[in-house]
Amino acid sequence: MPIFHNSTFPIFLLTGVPGLEWAHAWISILFCCLYFTALSGNSLILFVVLTEPSLHEPMYYFLSMLSTTDIGLCVSTLVTVLGIFWFSAREISFNACLSQMFFIHLFTFMESSVLLAMAFDRFVAISNPLRYATILTHARIAQIGAAVIIRGTVILTPLVLLLKRLSFCSSHVLHHSYCFHPDVMKLSCSDTKINSAFGLTAIISTAGVDSIFILLSYILIIHSVLNIASPGERKKAFSTCISHITAVAIFYIPLISLSFVHRFGKRAPPFVPTLIANVYLLIPPVMNPIIYSVKTKQIQRAVLKLIIRYKHAKSNHKLFNIEANRKNQNKIIK
């Protein structure tokens, strides 16, 4: 059996939707719509938060971090996904595959960390509102953002380097339209026990630990809310958490499902991992801006204000052009 050693830089083949290769052109329309929605929605959230002074608060800074990770996740996969559906460009080099895999997992781990930071933000806002501004200062938020990036990078770097020591057999067909660590690891002819153990440790120490602390945060939030005497204030406190709870659900459910399919779903049909992978890849970036735009009145007001400002500027520009044309016509007549 021929072996591709790591020094030969093997070429991997990405996979679209198994069994539906004939419909890739039509499927690409759906993916284009999802990518456009995700990129435009998260860019709008990011722009509104950064330009609207009323949103310069910890909650919205964390929301802008979430939008940034969602944009990064989309950009990391857009080229290979659409390349397969549009041009049947399935080949990807070993180093390019490792780079894509690094950024996909980095933004995934960062999103998990940001969701934990947002849970902590809600806990402080509800349980200790008087000290909210002094606990979550701008400097502390910047430190949290830096810690999110450093944490993901430190965990992922050894994971990528461990793949470089492996040798790969003649079978080099990946099961997704992007490079995913368990998928790449399965193609190796070498002993992958260390890689598998380290990969499991990485997912547990990030998404696993984060999910536990998020759950703990909400237990403490519920305890704090139940101590509030007024039913109206209880409802208001819970309503500030609905968007975050929904974002946590649409992130963790596909992530856990994909991890289980790769580790225990060997007998699952080929389209099942592909379907779950695409849900895990695109649904959170698509849904997060929608959720926060629908559920957060401050975001709604800021977006509406931006639209009104744009229409006003457009109207002024139109009036300016009319006035300029009138002056030019008067000069010609004279």
Side-chain angles (χ1 to χ4, degrees), residues 38 45 50 87 113 239 255 264 270 301 311 323:
I45 292 290
L50 294 179
F87 310 110
S113 301
S239 66
L255 177 62
F264 308 111
R301 284 196 291 265
K311 288 184 176 180
E323 183 65 22

mmCIF file of all heavy atoms in Angstrom, residues 38 45 50 87 113 239 255 264 270 301 311 323:
data_model
loop_
_atom_site.group_PDB
_atom_site.id
_atom_site.type_symbol
_atom_site.label_atom_id
_atom_site.label_comp_id
_atom_site.label_asym_id
_atom_site.label_seq_id
_atom_site.Cartn_x
_atom_site.Cartn_y
_atom_site.Cartn_z
ATOM 1 N N ALA A 38 -25.070 35.446 6.841
ATOM 2 C CA ALA A 38 -24.163 35.416 7.988
ATOM 3 C C ALA A 38 -23.178 36.583 7.961
ATOM 4 O O ALA A 38 -22.996 37.283 8.964
ATOM 5 C CB ALA A 38 -23.406 34.088 8.017
ATOM 6 N N ILE A 45 -24.111 44.000 12.745
ATOM 7 C CA ILE A 45 -24.043 44.030 14.212
ATOM 8 C C ILE A 45 -22.745 44.673 14.670
ATOM 9 O O ILE A 45 -22.719 45.548 15.557
ATOM 10 C CB ILE A 45 -24.168 42.610 14.789
ATOM 11 C CG1 ILE A 45 -25.572 42.029 14.552
ATOM 12 C CG2 ILE A 45 -23.831 42.605 16.284
ATOM 13 C CD1 ILE A 45 -26.668 42.654 15.354
ATOM 14 N N LEU A 50 -19.959 49.294 17.104
ATOM 15 C CA LEU A 50 -18.767 50.141 17.127
ATOM 16 C C LEU A 50 -19.077 51.614 16.881
ATOM 17 O O LEU A 50 -18.348 52.487 17.353
ATOM 18 C CB LEU A 50 -17.755 49.639 16.087
ATOM 19 C CG LEU A 50 -17.148 48.259 16.352
ATOM 20 C CD1 LEU A 50 -16.191 47.862 15.238
ATOM 21 C CD2 LEU A 50 -16.430 48.220 17.699
ATOM 22 N N PHE A 87 -17.055 24.852 -8.832
ATOM 23 C CA PHE A 87 -16.021 24.448 -9.790
ATOM 24 C C PHE A 87 -15.537 23.019 -9.589
ATOM 25 O O PHE A 87 -14.589 22.601 -10.255
ATOM 26 C CB PHE A 87 -14.817 25.410 -9.684
ATOM 27 C CG PHE A 87 -15.181 26.862 -9.731
ATOM 28 C CD1 PHE A 87 -15.070 27.661 -8.598
ATOM 29 C CD2 PHE A 87 -15.661 27.433 -10.900
ATOM 30 C CE1 PHE A 87 -15.409 29.002 -8.627
ATOM 31 C CE2 PHE A 87 -15.995 28.778 -10.943
ATOM 32 C CZ PHE A 87 -15.874 29.563 -9.817
ATOM 33 N N SER A 113 -15.687 30.409 24.107
ATOM 34 C CA SER A 113 -15.178 31.272 25.180
ATOM 35 C C SER A 113 -15.978 32.568 25.288
ATOM 36 O O SER A 113 -16.254 33.048 26.390
ATOM 37 C CB SER A 113 -13.701 31.601 24.932
ATOM 38 O OG SER A 113 -12.917 30.429 24.881
ATOM 39 N N SER A 239 -35.685 37.994 30.558
ATOM 40 C CA SER A 239 -35.765 38.352 29.138
ATOM 41 C C SER A 239 -34.411 38.782 28.579
ATOM 42 O O SER A 239 -34.151 38.624 27.383
ATOM 43 C CB SER A 239 -36.787 39.473 28.925
ATOM 44 O OG SER A 239 -36.361 40.674 29.550
ATOM 45 N N LEU A 255 -22.342 21.170 17.608
ATOM 46 C CA LEU A 255 -20.952 20.836 17.917
ATOM 47 C C LEU A 255 -20.856 19.476 18.609
ATOM 48 O O LEU A 255 -20.035 18.624 18.230
ATOM 49 C CB LEU A 255 -20.343 21.926 18.804
ATOM 50 C CG LEU A 255 -18.902 21.689 19.293
ATOM 51 C CD1 LEU A 255 -17.957 21.599 18.116
ATOM 52 C CD2 LEU A 255 -18.470 22.797 20.239
ATOM 53 N N PHE A 264 -18.391 7.995 17.298
ATOM 54 C CA PHE A 264 -19.209 6.801 17.549
ATOM 55 C C PHE A 264 -20.163 6.462 16.403
ATOM 56 O O PHE A 264 -20.838 5.430 16.464
ATOM 57 C CB PHE A 264 -20.043 7.002 18.830
ATOM 58 C CG PHE A 264 -19.221 7.429 20.018
ATOM 59 C CD1 PHE A 264 -19.345 8.712 20.542
ATOM 60 C CD2 PHE A 264 -18.313 6.562 20.598
ATOM 61 C CE1 PHE A 264 -18.586 9.116 21.634
ATOM 62 C CE2 PHE A 264 -17.547 6.958 21.690
ATOM 63 C CZ PHE A 264 -17.686 8.231 22.205
ATOM 64 N N PRO A 270 -23.342 8.299 4.876
ATOM 65 C CA PRO A 270 -22.331 9.327 4.578
ATOM 66 C C PRO A 270 -22.856 10.763 4.661
ATOM 67 O O PRO A 270 -22.100 11.677 4.989
ATOM 68 C CB PRO A 270 -21.910 8.990 3.137
ATOM 69 C CG PRO A 270 -22.265 7.564 2.950
ATOM 70 C CD PRO A 270 -23.475 7.309 3.798
ATOM 71 N N ARG A 301 -33.191 49.516 17.810
ATOM 72 C CA ARG A 301 -33.202 50.987 17.724
ATOM 73 C C ARG A 301 -31.960 51.501 17.010
ATOM 74 O O ARG A 301 -32.034 52.451 16.217
ATOM 75 C CB ARG A 301 -33.310 51.587 19.126
ATOM 76 C CG ARG A 301 -34.712 51.498 19.720
ATOM 77 C CD ARG A 301 -34.855 52.441 20.898
ATOM 78 N NE ARG A 301 -34.056 52.002 22.027
ATOM 79 C CZ ARG A 301 -34.524 51.266 23.033
ATOM 80 N NH1 ARG A 301 -35.795 50.870 23.026
ATOM 81 N NH2 ARG A 301 -33.744 50.916 24.038
ATOM 82 N N LYS A 311 -30.882 57.105 4.982
ATOM 83 C CA LYS A 311 -31.894 57.699 4.102
ATOM 84 C C LYS A 311 -31.795 59.217 4.098
ATOM 85 O O LYS A 311 -31.958 59.866 3.058
ATOM 86 C CB LYS A 311 -33.294 57.259 4.539
ATOM 87 C CG LYS A 311 -33.603 55.798 4.224
ATOM 88 C CD LYS A 311 -35.042 55.459 4.605
ATOM 89 C CE LYS A 311 -35.391 54.031 4.211
ATOM 90 N NZ LYS A 311 -36.793 53.688 4.572
ATOM 91 N N GLU A 323 -29.601 70.925 -6.633
ATOM 92 C CA GLU A 323 -29.184 72.319 -6.494
ATOM 93 C C GLU A 323 -27.975 72.618 -7.372
ATOM 94 O O GLU A 323 -27.904 73.682 -8.019
ATOM 95 C CB GLU A 323 -28.853 72.608 -5.027
ATOM 96 C CG GLU A 323 -28.472 74.048 -4.728
ATOM 97 C CD GLU A 323 -29.628 75.009 -4.959
ATOM 98 O OE1 GLU A 323 -30.799 74.564 -4.943
ATOM 99 O OE2 GLU A 323 -29.367 76.212 -5.165
#
